[in-house]
Amino acid sequence: MAALEIVRIPVLSDNYVWLVHDPASKATMVVDPAVADPVLDAAKARGWTITDIWNTHWHPDHTGGNAAIKDATGCRITGPAAEYERIPTLDVRVTGGDVVRFGSKQADVWDVPAHTAGHIAYHFADDAAIFVGDTMFAMGCGRLFEGTAEQMFANMQKFRSLDDATRVYCAHEYTLSNARFAIGVDPDNHALAARLAAVEAARAAGEATVPTSIGEERATNPFFRAADADELARIRALKDAA
């Protein structure tokens, strides 16, 4: 089975929208479109027709392009059942344990609340890829706007169950600031120091730093590496105050 083709589309100040294409069926899906025009342009440039939008949570910088893309393409919009009242464009409501399909591909839906109460992630096991929205970032995690440190710690434990090679598609370019914070929390981590240097060089050259991988996060992400919810809460409070 042909692998997914995944295109990163930078929008707004630091958001990434993911354009995901299934070569076997020609279906094309958009994850968390903040805006419409750059997404439509990227699909058109590749000769792809958008058939689906998948939302991870309700925040406007993840759903703002829904209506216009749907108007332009007639696509189907899937998102968290727990947040349907805040995402009026949803056609399909899903929750943890569901399986959602597009084209010849399918993904498992994971409940990962904390950043928002109904936040979900989409795991393509056969393609070793997971779309995590704002739950986890490269060397970071999302703010606890609508949930608890206990919930976020449970999310990290779920992610830790994945193979190191699994690619993690998050929704923001926060890597440099996260790395600089992380080295203060974990100053003796040689893998983290090396990654910070690599990220500084990449950003200086104008290069993106995501997707990341479970293996990279296992080695360098202080939230991923936290021993328990109390430690995660302490680190999150430090990050919020930074």
Coordinates of all heavy atoms in Angstrom, one line a residue, residues 166-205:
T166 N 7.7 6.6 15.0 CA 6.4 7.3 14.6 C 6.7 8.8 14.5 O 7.2 9.5 15.4 CB 5.4 7.0 15.7 OG1 5.2 5.6 15.8 CG2 4.1 7.7 15.4
R167 N 6.2 9.3 13.4 CA 6.3 10.8 13.1 C 5.2 11.5 13.8 O 4.0 11.1 13.7 CB 6.3 11.1 11.6 CG 7.6 10.6 10.9 CD 7.3 10.5 9.4 NE 6.3 9.4 9.1 CZ 5.5 9.5 8.0 NH1 5.5 10.5 7.2 NH2 4.6 8.5 7.8
V168 N 5.5 12.6 14.4 CA 4.5 13.4 15.2 C 4.3 14.7 14.5 O 5.2 15.5 14.4 CB 5.0 13.6 16.6 CG1 4.0 14.5 17.4 CG2 5.3 12.3 17.3
Y169 N 3.1 14.9 14.0 CA 2.7 16.1 13.3 C 1.9 17.1 14.2 O 0.7 16.9 14.4 CB 1.9 15.8 12.0 CG 2.7 15.0 11.0 CD1 2.8 13.6 11.1 CD2 3.3 15.6 10.0 CE1 3.5 12.9 10.2 CE2 4.1 14.9 9.0 CZ 4.2 13.5 9.1 OH 4.9 12.8 8.2
C170 N 2.6 18.0 14.7 CA 2.0 19.0 15.6 C 1.7 20.3 14.7 O 2.0 20.4 13.6 CB 2.9 19.4 16.7 SG 4.5 20.0 16.3
A171 N 1.0 21.2 15.4 CA 0.4 22.3 14.6 C 1.1 23.7 14.7 O 0.6 24.6 14.2 CB -1.1 22.5 15.0
H172 N 2.3 23.7 15.4 CA 2.9 25.0 15.5 C 4.4 24.9 15.5 O 5.0 23.8 15.9 CB 2.5 25.7 16.9 CG 1.1 26.2 16.9 ND1 0.7 27.4 16.5 CD2 0.0 25.6 17.4 CE1 -0.6 27.5 16.7 NE2 -1.0 26.4 17.3
E173 N 5.1 25.9 15.0 CA 6.5 26.0 15.0 C 7.0 26.7 16.3 O 7.3 27.9 16.3 CB 7.0 26.8 13.8 CG 8.5 26.9 13.7 CD 9.3 25.6 13.6 OE1 9.1 24.9 12.5 OE2 10.0 25.3 14.5
Y174 N 7.0 25.9 17.4 CA 7.4 26.4 18.7 C 8.7 25.8 19.1 O 9.2 26.0 20.3 CB 6.4 26.0 19.8 CG 5.0 26.6 19.7 CD1 3.9 26.0 20.4 CD2 4.8 27.8 19.0 CE1 2.7 26.6 20.3 CE2 3.5 28.4 19.0 CZ 2.5 27.8 19.7 OH 1.2 28.4 19.6
T175 N 9.4 25.1 18.2 CA 10.5 24.3 18.6 C 11.7 25.0 19.3 O 12.2 24.6 20.3 CB 11.0 23.4 17.4 OG1 9.9 22.8 16.8 CG2 12.0 22.3 17.9
L176 N 12.1 26.2 18.7 CA 13.2 26.9 19.2 C 13.0 27.4 20.7 O 13.8 27.2 21.6 CB 13.6 28.0 18.3 CG 14.8 28.8 18.7 CD1 16.0 27.9 18.9 CD2 15.1 29.9 17.7
S177 N 11.8 28.0 20.9 CA 11.5 28.5 22.3 C 11.4 27.3 23.2 O 11.8 27.4 24.4 CB 10.3 29.3 22.3 OG 9.2 28.6 21.9
N178 N 10.8 26.2 22.7 CA 10.7 25.0 23.6 C 12.0 24.4 24.0 O 12.3 24.0 25.1 CB 9.8 24.0 22.9 CG 8.3 24.3 22.9 OD1 7.9 25.2 23.6 ND2 7.6 23.5 22.1
A179 N 12.9 24.4 23.0 CA 14.2 23.8 23.2 C 15.0 24.7 24.2 O 15.7 24.1 25.1 CB 15.0 23.7 21.9
R180 N 14.9 26.0 24.1 CA 15.7 26.9 25.0 C 15.1 26.7 26.4 O 15.9 26.8 27.4 CB 15.6 28.3 24.5 CG 16.5 28.5 23.2 CD 16.2 29.9 22.6 NE 17.2 30.1 21.5 CZ 17.1 31.1 20.7 NH1 16.1 31.9 20.7 NH2 18.0 31.3 19.7
F181 N 13.8 26.6 26.5 CA 13.2 26.3 27.9 C 13.7 25.0 28.4 O 14.1 24.8 29.6 CB 11.7 26.4 27.8 CG 11.0 25.9 29.1 CD1 11.0 26.8 30.2 CD2 10.5 24.7 29.1 CE1 10.4 26.3 31.4 CE2 9.9 24.2 30.3 CZ 9.8 25.0 31.4
A182 N 13.6 23.9 27.6 CA 13.9 22.6 28.0 C 15.3 22.4 28.5 O 15.5 21.7 29.5 CB 13.6 21.6 26.9
I183 N 16.3 23.1 27.9 CA 17.6 22.9 28.4 C 17.8 23.5 29.8 O 18.7 23.1 30.5 CB 18.6 23.6 27.4 CG1 20.0 23.0 27.6 CG2 18.6 25.1 27.4 CD1 20.2 21.6 27.1
G184 N 17.0 24.5 30.1 CA 17.0 25.0 31.5 C 16.5 24.0 32.5 O 16.9 24.0 33.7
V185 N 15.5 23.2 32.1 CA 14.9 22.2 32.9 C 15.8 21.0 33.1 O 15.9 20.4 34.1 CB 13.5 21.8 32.4 CG1 12.9 20.7 33.2 CG2 12.6 23.0 32.4
D186 N 16.5 20.7 32.0 CA 17.2 19.4 31.9 C 18.6 19.7 31.3 O 19.0 19.3 30.3 CB 16.5 18.5 31.0 CG 17.0 17.0 31.0 OD1 17.9 16.7 31.8 OD2 16.5 16.2 30.2
P187 N 19.5 20.5 32.1 CA 20.7 21.0 31.5 C 21.8 20.0 31.3 O 22.7 20.2 30.5 CB 21.2 22.0 32.6 CG 20.5 21.5 33.9 CD 19.2 21.0 33.5
D188 N 21.7 18.8 31.9 CA 22.7 17.8 31.7 C 22.3 16.8 30.6 O 23.0 15.7 30.4 CB 22.9 17.0 33.0 CG 23.5 17.9 34.1 OD1 24.2 18.8 33.8 OD2 23.0 17.7 35.2
N189 N 21.3 17.0 29.8 CA 20.8 16.1 28.8 C 21.6 16.4 27.5 O 21.3 17.4 26.8 CB 19.3 16.3 28.6 CG 18.7 15.3 27.6 OD1 19.4 14.9 26.6 ND2 17.4 15.0 27.8
H190 N 22.6 15.6 27.2 CA 23.4 15.8 26.0 C 22.6 15.7 24.7 O 22.9 16.5 23.7 CB 24.6 14.8 26.0 CG 25.5 15.0 27.2 ND1 26.2 16.1 27.5 CD2 25.8 14.1 28.2 CE1 26.9 15.9 28.6 NE2 26.6 14.7 29.0
A191 N 21.6 14.9 24.6 CA 20.8 14.8 23.4 C 20.0 16.1 23.2 O 19.9 16.6 22.1 CB 19.9 13.6 23.5
L192 N 19.6 16.7 24.3 CA 18.8 17.9 24.2 C 19.8 19.1 23.8 O 19.4 19.9 22.9 CB 18.2 18.2 25.6 CG 17.5 19.5 25.7 CD1 16.4 19.7 24.7 CD2 16.8 19.6 27.1
A193 N 21.0 19.1 24.3 CA 21.9 20.1 23.9 C 22.2 20.1 22.4 O 22.3 21.1 21.7 CB 23.2 20.0 24.7
A194 N 22.4 18.9 21.9 CA 22.7 18.7 20.5 C 21.5 19.1 19.7 O 21.6 19.7 18.6 CB 23.1 17.2 20.2
R195 N 20.3 18.7 20.1 CA 19.1 19.1 19.4 C 18.9 20.6 19.4 O 18.5 21.2 18.4 CB 17.9 18.4 20.0 CG 16.6 18.5 19.1 CD 15.5 17.7 19.6 NE 14.4 17.7 18.6 CZ 13.1 17.3 18.9 NH1 12.8 16.8 20.1 NH2 12.2 17.5 18.0
L196 N 19.1 21.3 20.5 CA 19.0 22.7 20.5 C 19.9 23.3 19.5 O 19.5 24.2 18.8 CB 19.3 23.2 21.9 CG 19.5 24.7 22.1 CD1 18.2 25.5 21.7 CD2 19.9 25.1 23.5
A197 N 21.1 22.9 19.4 CA 22.1 23.5 18.4 C 21.5 23.2 17.0 O 21.6 24.1 16.1 CB 23.4 22.8 18.6
A198 N 21.0 22.0 16.7 CA 20.5 21.7 15.4 C 19.3 22.6 15.1 O 19.1 23.1 13.9 CB 20.1 20.3 15.3
V199 N 18.4 22.8 16.1 CA 17.2 23.6 15.9 C 17.6 25.1 15.6 O 17.0 25.8 14.8 CB 16.2 23.5 17.0 CG1 15.1 24.5 17.0 CG2 15.7 22.1 17.0
E200 N 18.6 25.6 16.4 CA 19.0 27.0 16.2 C 19.5 27.2 14.8 O 19.2 28.2 14.1 CB 20.1 27.3 17.2 CG 19.5 27.5 18.6 CD 20.6 27.8 19.7 OE1 21.8 27.3 19.5 OE2 20.3 28.5 20.6
A201 N 20.3 26.2 14.3 CA 20.8 26.3 12.9 C 19.7 26.2 11.9 O 19.7 27.0 10.9 CB 21.8 25.2 12.7
A202 N 18.8 25.3 12.1 CA 17.7 25.2 11.2 C 16.8 26.5 11.1 O 16.5 26.9 10.0 CB 16.8 24.0 11.6
R203 N 16.5 27.0 12.2 CA 15.6 28.2 12.3 C 16.4 29.4 11.7 O 15.8 30.3 11.0 CB 15.1 28.5 13.7 CG 14.2 27.4 14.2 CD 13.0 27.2 13.3 NE 12.1 28.3 13.2 CZ 11.3 28.6 12.2 NH1 11.3 27.8 11.1 NH2 10.5 29.7 12.2
A204 N 17.7 29.5 11.9 CA 18.5 30.6 11.4 C 18.5 30.5 9.8 O 18.6 31.6 9.2 CB 19.9 30.5 11.9
A205 N 18.4 29.3 9.3 CA 18.3 29.1 7.9 C 16.9 29.2 7.3 O 16.7 29.0 6.1 CB 18.9 27.8 7.5

